[in-house]
Amino acid sequence: MNRPEKEQFEHWAEKIWQSDRRAFDSLFRSMYSQLVNFAATYTHEKSSAADIVQDSFISLWQNRTSIDPGQSLKAYLYRIVRNRSLNYLRNRSSEIAQSDIIVEERLQTAEEVNSNEKADELSEKFSEWIEQLPERQQEAFELSRFEGLNHEEIASVMDVSPKTVNNHIVAALKQLRSLYEEYSGKSSHT
Amino acid sequence: MKNQNKHNHNEADLEDVLSQFADEERAGAKDIWQKSKKAARREDIVSEKEVDEALENVHFRIEQEKRSRNQGSSISGFILSNARYLVAAVALIILGFGFLFVPKTVTVPNAEIAEIKLPDGSSVELNSGSTLQYNRLFAFTNRDITLNGEAYFSVEEGEDPFIVEANGSATEVTGTEFNVRSWADDPAVETTITVTEGSVQFYPVDNSSKIVSLQAGQTSRLNIEMGSPAQPTASSEEHLAWRDNRLVFQQSPLIVILHDLERSFDVEIELDVEDMEYETLTAYYNQPANVETILEDICTVKGLRFTKTTSGYRIFK
């Protein structure tokens, strides 16, 4: 995966602050798919994730002049997408029946199974274990490991201190390690 | 991209994490860190075409909001934009006298409340989404105002009567303070007048014989279908709640409440339930921070549900 680097984000942030539409488009093109997948880790389906990411970009553009230039644009984007995803989940839980959403989730799960058939057992295990982590640990770990954010950025996305992010990730690693040892112990005995 | 990992800014963070493990555990932890990268993750493939369409959609919506903002940006808070003066100046040169008959329009964007000074020194507080119009000879030959929405007027004494026309109703005063609520998009197209100081004359625009006189502390309403204003009754301060950013609904039809919420929070709310528009509801909110808590309350009381849409909310059963 070809991910834009820090300098690129700084460049975009400056250009967008000056209302440069091309910089905005370029940021959108490089981040859209990644952010849709990130939002989908909360919403568990793609269409609402896509809506959330589009809304977030619109909000970024509308607030472009009030964005703190010292702040990481990447963290800023992840932060709005995360907040909007959590809002979306809160609204959705206020609905009593969720039949349509459940159907979508089921479809996705079937897809998931198909695409994962080829993936080896260990990588499946890891994703299972990560899913089992306490919510905040899981978020911090995924933002670090899969979204490539540094601790300071994760801290601003999750609205906690970098120290807390560090603690979450240490705790996550510890738990993953013990699950892994238990698993490899079992499989070597059989 | 090969070298990127060497300069990866996450490396220092990883060191921090690993430093919290005991020496004999550190290698194991690092191993797990590396292995976990392979975790099977559900990746939705987003095609080029989808990205293009999404970007197009985002452009469209940004333009759309810019347009609607420009329409409403004639006043934002207290500040008139310079562009408006420029346009006005150019128009004055080109149109000369004709210009005097082009009315001046002030529209307050949704989710904002504005206070403006009129040329005669009177002041007006305008609720979200309201539109006020007056001609260029205002304060010279007349003091006629047209309103769609809700406004609180503090009128200076003057030679000409100060007349507010709102959806078929007229309110005439000399010097006083009063509130007018008159939304063209509310189902009854009613105008409600509440007087806080002095007195006003209230009548249908095209039938001034049906006149009602209101004193301070009184309220009256005119539904244009009914022909004449209701006899004045004691007003409650709830009619003025909007000026303190409060929302008050007293036996209000759902459709009226939703219109108020749309304007106060600048969202679109779609009522996707039949025969519920005129269900009434009573609710009070002091300084409501977000529309969602209010929607939750409404839905709980009425046995409805709501969901977020791209431009706002949809209420359904």
Side-chain angles (χ1 to χ4, degrees):
Chain A
M1 202 169 302
N2 220 338
R3 285 189 176 162
E5 296 194 53
K6 194 161 168 265
E7 293 72 29
Q8 177 66 65
F9 275 104
E10 281 164 4
H11 176 74
W12 276 325
E14 197 192 324
K15 286 288 178 192
I16 289 172
W17 189 76
Q18 298 163 355
S19 299
D20 183 333
R21 259 314 237 286
R22 272 180 315 185
F24 175 81
D25 290 0
S26 144
L27 171 70
F28 186 94
R29 287 183 189 285
S30 6
M31 293 300 291
Y32 182 70
S33 136
Q34 195 178 328
L35 286 169
V36 166
N37 276 300
F38 171 65
T41 61
Y42 297 93
T43 66
H44 296 294
E45 46 106 16
K46 191 172 157 190
S47 71
S48 56
D51 282 348
I52 288 167
V53 174
Q54 290 174 30
D55 287 349
S56 302
F57 270 100
I58 290 169
S59 148
L60 166 73
W61 181 256
Q62 279 164 348
N63 297 311
R64 63 191 181 281
T65 51
S66 53
I67 292 169
D68 173 9
Q71 198 200 8
S72 150
L73 177 62
K74 187 175 175 186
Y76 180 88
L77 265 178
Y78 271 94
R79 187 190 170 103
I80 359 183
V81 171
R82 175 181 182 263
N83 287 343
R84 283 174 184 261
S85 301
L86 293 176
N87 270 341
Y88 169 85
L89 287 184
R90 234 186 309 124
N91 285 342
R92 202 182 60 167
S93 66
S94 72
E95 295 168 18
I96 301 155
Q98 302 186 355
S99 53
D100 50 340
I101 291 156
I102 290 163
V103 170
E104 268 180 282
E105 262 172 353
R106 259 195 225 120
L107 283 176
Q108 219 95 46
T109 318
E111 253 170 53
E112 213 177 327
V113 172
N114 285 338
S115 72
N116 287 350
E117 261 169 1
K118 284 165 246 147
D120 68 309
E121 203 189 37
L122 186 60
S123 55
E124 290 230 0
K125 278 288 163 198
F126 263 107
S127 71
E128 203 182 298
W129 297 332
I130 292 168
E131 291 267 313
Q132 286 168 10
L133 292 172
E135 208 176 315
R136 308 283 280 174
Q137 282 180 26
Q138 183 189 340
E139 264 189 303
F141 186 81
E142 290 188 332
L143 282 167
S144 170
R145 197 68 190 107
F146 305 114
E147 307 296 336
L149 270 65
N150 66 31
H151 288 190
E152 207 183 306
E153 289 170 329
I154 299 172
S156 104
V157 171
M158 293 179 63
D159 223 357
V160 293
S161 72
K163 179 80 191 125
T164 308
V165 172
N166 195 51
N167 292 343
H168 281 325
I169 293 175
V170 169
L173 259 187
K174 279 190 176 149
Q175 182 166 348
L176 289 179
R177 177 144 184 250
S178 77
L179 286 166
Y180 174 72
E181 272 167 7
E182 195 184 315
Y183 164 82
S184 54
K186 258 188 227 156
S187 53
S188 65
H189 286 306
T190 51
Chain B
M1 298 298 281
K2 257 186 214 157
N3 288 329
Q4 195 201 335
N5 284 336
K6 281 187 191 159
H7 306 290
N8 197 323
H9 55 279
N10 290 349
E11 212 127 287
D13 289 332
L14 179 57
E15 307 251 298
D16 276 355
V17 167
L18 293 176
S19 72
Q20 299 207 12
F21 284 84
D23 287 349
E24 65 273 16
E25 285 182 351
R26 198 163 298 138
K30 191 166 186 180
D31 181 44
I32 295 298
W33 176 260
Q34 270 150 5
K35 283 201 167 78
S36 69
K37 178 75 178 182
K38 294 203 196 76
R41 308 200 78 218
R42 184 170 70 80
E43 287 277 328
D44 279 317
I45 315 291
V46 181
S47 68
E48 270 308 283
K49 188 165 162 271
E50 280 175 283
V51 177
D52 284 341
E53 280 169 4
L55 183 57
E56 210 169 292
N57 182 28
V58 164
H59 281 174
F60 176 76
R61 284 178 49 203
I62 287 174
E63 283 307 316
Q64 207 179 22
E65 292 194 22
K66 199 160 80 189
R67 262 199 302 278
S68 68
R69 205 167 286 194
N70 281 346
Q71 274 168 10
S73 77
S74 51
I75 181 156
S76 181
F78 297 80
I79 304 154
L80 289 158
S81 72
N82 291 327
R84 196 180 163 83
Y85 289 125
L86 193 65
V87 169
V90 170
L92 187 62
I93 294 160
I94 295 171
L95 295 169
F97 259 107
F99 167 76
L100 292 173
F101 301 100
V102 179
K104 209 168 155 76
T105 305
V106 175
T107 300
V108 183
N110 283 344
E112 280 184 44
I113 290 178
E115 181 170 347
I116 59 165
K117 271 261 181 264
L118 294 171
D120 69 335
S122 300
S123 62
V124 191
E125 276 170 61
L126 279 164
N127 202 352
S128 313
S130 302
T131 302
L132 192 80
Q133 271 192 343
Y134 53 92
N135 59 50
R136 309 275 162 181
L137 296 172
F138 184 95
F140 295 105
T141 64
N142 68 69
R143 293 204 288 169
D144 297 347
I145 290 236
T146 310
L147 170 75
N148 178 28
E150 184 156 28
Y152 183 86
F153 295 90
S154 304
V155 179
E156 290 288 308
E157 296 276 350
E159 280 182 18
D160 299 307
F162 188 101
I163 302 173
V164 180
E165 282 194 26
N167 295 308
S169 75
T171 311
E172 190 171 323
V173 307
T174 44
T176 179
E177 296 196 10
F178 63 104
N179 190 71
V180 179
R181 180 186 163 99
S182 183
W183 292 103
D185 60 356
D186 275 350
V189 199
E190 251 180 7
T191 302
T192 308
I193 306 294
T194 307
V195 182
T196 51
E197 224 183 276
S199 64
V200 312
Q201 309 297 321
F202 185 39
Y203 53 89
V205 167
D206 49 14
N207 191 353
S208 55
S209 65
K210 303 277 187 195
I211 197 161
V212 162
S213 178
L214 286 106
Q215 308 299 318
Q218 288 189 320
T219 184
S220 171
R221 55 180 65 197
L222 171 63
N223 176 335
I224 214 63
E225 311 272 277
M226 309 295 273
S228 56
Q231 280 309 305
T233 53
S235 68
S236 86
E237 59 159 4
E238 309 306 354
H239 289 123
L240 308 171
W242 66 271
R243 297 176 61 212
D244 305 323
N245 276 316
R246 289 188 297 137
L247 282 174
V248 171
F249 306 115
Q250 286 179 315
Q251 293 289 310
S252 311
L254 204 47
I255 190 75
V256 173
I257 296 177
L258 296 182
H259 282 157
D260 275 4
L261 294 179
E262 288 185 321
R263 289 184 292 254
S264 298
F265 293 96
D266 196 20
V267 292
E268 280 172 33
I269 305 172
E270 185 192 340
L271 183 62
D272 200 2
V273 191
E274 277 179 29
D275 301 327
M276 289 288 283
E277 285 103 324
Y278 299 103
E279 287 268 342
T280 60
L281 200 75
T282 297
Y284 301 81
Y285 292 97
N286 285 328
Q287 315 282 331
N290 69 70
V291 69
E292 284 172 13
T293 28
I294 300 177
L295 289 179
E296 264 164 35
D297 292 346
I298 293 175
C299 289
T300 309
V301 172
K302 294 293 176 197
L304 301 169
R305 286 174 283 149
F306 72 97
T307 176
K308 198 156 173 34
T309 62
T310 46
S311 54
Y313 301 90
R314 186 170 68 87
I315 298 181
F316 59 100
K317 201 147 200 163

